[in-house]
Amino acid sequence: MIQDILPSRLNNSWQNIQPQPESFVMCFREGRLLAKIADGEPQFPRYRDLSGHGSAPVYLFSINHEAFFLADAAKISGFQDYSLRELRDRCAGKYPYAAFTAYHLYQWYADNRYCGVCRGAMQHDTAERALVCKDCGHKIFPRINPAVIVGVISRGRILITRYARGYAHNALVAGFTEIGETLEECVAREVMEVTGLRVRNCRYYKSQPWGMAQDLLMGFFCEADGDDTIRMDTGELKSACWCRPDEIELQPQQHSLTNEMMKLFRDTNGQLPPEFDPAGSH
């Protein structure tokens, strides 16, 4: 998955530090990131490339000993703007993950320039990752949207879907948690809403930060409970069908939790490890 960058490690703890000439600066223009691609790896501008232009950089995070900052810069010689999807599809390694994580914070900062309580200007807290209103003191922290990815299993098959709009490749049932809802309740509701299926024996698999949408994805496997006839919501899905392991077509890239879950089911011939197998609850 995109966050699997070992032996490199992300250090996302807040530090009130200044950039050095070799520090990376992540410069977004309307959601697109300044970079250049060489040998399948993205390269980002360094602080020395700003040449006195752009806004004062804001520290984001470090990967190993490389520090990343956020800055505004309309143009830097030798770099062009890429969408996150372009970087994800064309590159591998730790830097696409850096781009996703930087975008998450970029969007949060952009969406919170003014206080939602008194409309005052927000400013950076110097002690932690937060924005504080200079007038009323209201403080906010980065937004993270919890969502579920669901592998529904029935009689040795897994439920494969395609969205009605947007992403064109195979996927699993997915959706955001609602106010006052547990993750397990979200799994049951989302599956029912888009496929008409009841589920049981929900088993947690793994999580994934997905900075492109400011999400934290949590994967679950579960069983269809009773009748496994699909009653698809055509407003949400273009297709939904039961697939045997040898019928699964994976996504083109290996970055997503969805793809890893489909691959696990395919590669184990539907015999999931006991800790993830909902049939093991019987």
Side-chain angles (χ1 to χ4, degrees), residues 120-138:
M122 302 297 282
Q123 57 190 12
H124 296 279
D125 193 291
T126 58
E128 57 185 338
R129 175 84 61 196
L131 290 171
V132 183
C133 177
K134 66 180 184 60
D135 294 329
C136 74
H138 176 62

Side-chain angles (χ1 to χ4, degrees), residues 80-273:
Q80 64 185 84
D81 55 328
Y82 291 91
S83 72
L84 293 188
R85 286 186 174 87
E86 289 171 329
L87 291 176
R88 177 195 66 188
D89 294 348
R90 295 177 57 180
C91 305
K94 61 187 177 183
Y95 292 126
Y97 181 44
F100 267 51
T101 308
Y103 179 83
H104 189 156
L105 288 168
Y106 151 77
Q107 193 63 60
W108 175 67
Y109 285 128
D111 290 346
N112 292 280
R113 294 189 177 97
Y114 299 99
C115 178
V117 176
C118 74
R119 304 181 185 180
M122 302 297 282
Q123 57 190 12
H124 296 279
D125 193 291
T126 58
E128 57 185 338
R129 175 84 61 196
L131 290 171
V132 183
C133 177
K134 66 180 184 60
D135 294 329
C136 74
H138 176 62
K139 180 181 288 191
I140 59 171
F141 298 90
R143 166 187 165 187
I144 302 173
N145 307 312
V148 297
I149 306 292
V150 190
V152 186
I153 296 169
S154 177
R155 294 184 288 166
R157 304 163 300 165
I158 191 168
L159 182 61
I160 300 295
T161 70
R162 290 201 176 193
Y163 299 123
R165 295 169 297 279
Y167 192 69
H169 301 288
N170 282 348
L172 301 174
V173 173
F176 293 101
T177 56
E178 300 285 355
I179 297 297
E181 184 176 59
T182 68
L183 293 170
E184 292 80 5
E185 289 169 342
C186 179
V187 165
R189 175 183 56 77
E190 285 290 345
V191 175
M192 171 59 73
E193 286 180 355
V194 298
T195 68
L197 296 168
R198 297 185 182 278
V199 297
R200 62 182 180 179
N201 300 331
C202 186
R203 292 290 187 93
Y204 173 72
Y205 171 62
K206 193 181 286 187
S207 64
Q208 176 176 44
W210 197 247
M212 180 186 290
Q214 304 177 53
D215 298 345
L216 177 62
L217 308 176
M218 287 153 280
F220 293 86
F221 288 103
C222 58
E223 281 187 302
D225 186 7
D227 181 12
D228 63 7
T229 302
I230 298 170
R231 300 170 181 84
M232 186 180 73
D233 179 353
T234 56
E236 292 286 336
L237 301 178
K238 178 168 63 177
S239 66
C241 62
W242 294 109
C243 290
R244 296 190 305 271
D246 61 352
E247 298 173 324
I248 295 173
E249 179 183 342
L250 298 178
Q251 298 171 348
Q253 288 80 37
Q254 303 297 312
H255 298 305
S256 75
L257 174 61
T258 296
N259 195 70
E260 180 171 298
M261 292 172 67
M262 293 192 298
K263 185 175 186 297
L264 178 65
F265 190 81
R266 185 199 68 177
D267 292 352
T268 61
N269 197 32
Q271 303 299 310
L272 297 173

Side-chain angles (χ1 to χ4, degrees), residues 24 34-39 41-45 79 82 87 91 95:
F24 287 113
L34 286 180
K36 54 186 175 183
I37 297 175
D39 299 324
E41 185 172 271
Q43 298 178 6
F44 307 115
F79 295 87
Y82 291 91
L87 291 176
C91 305
Y95 292 126

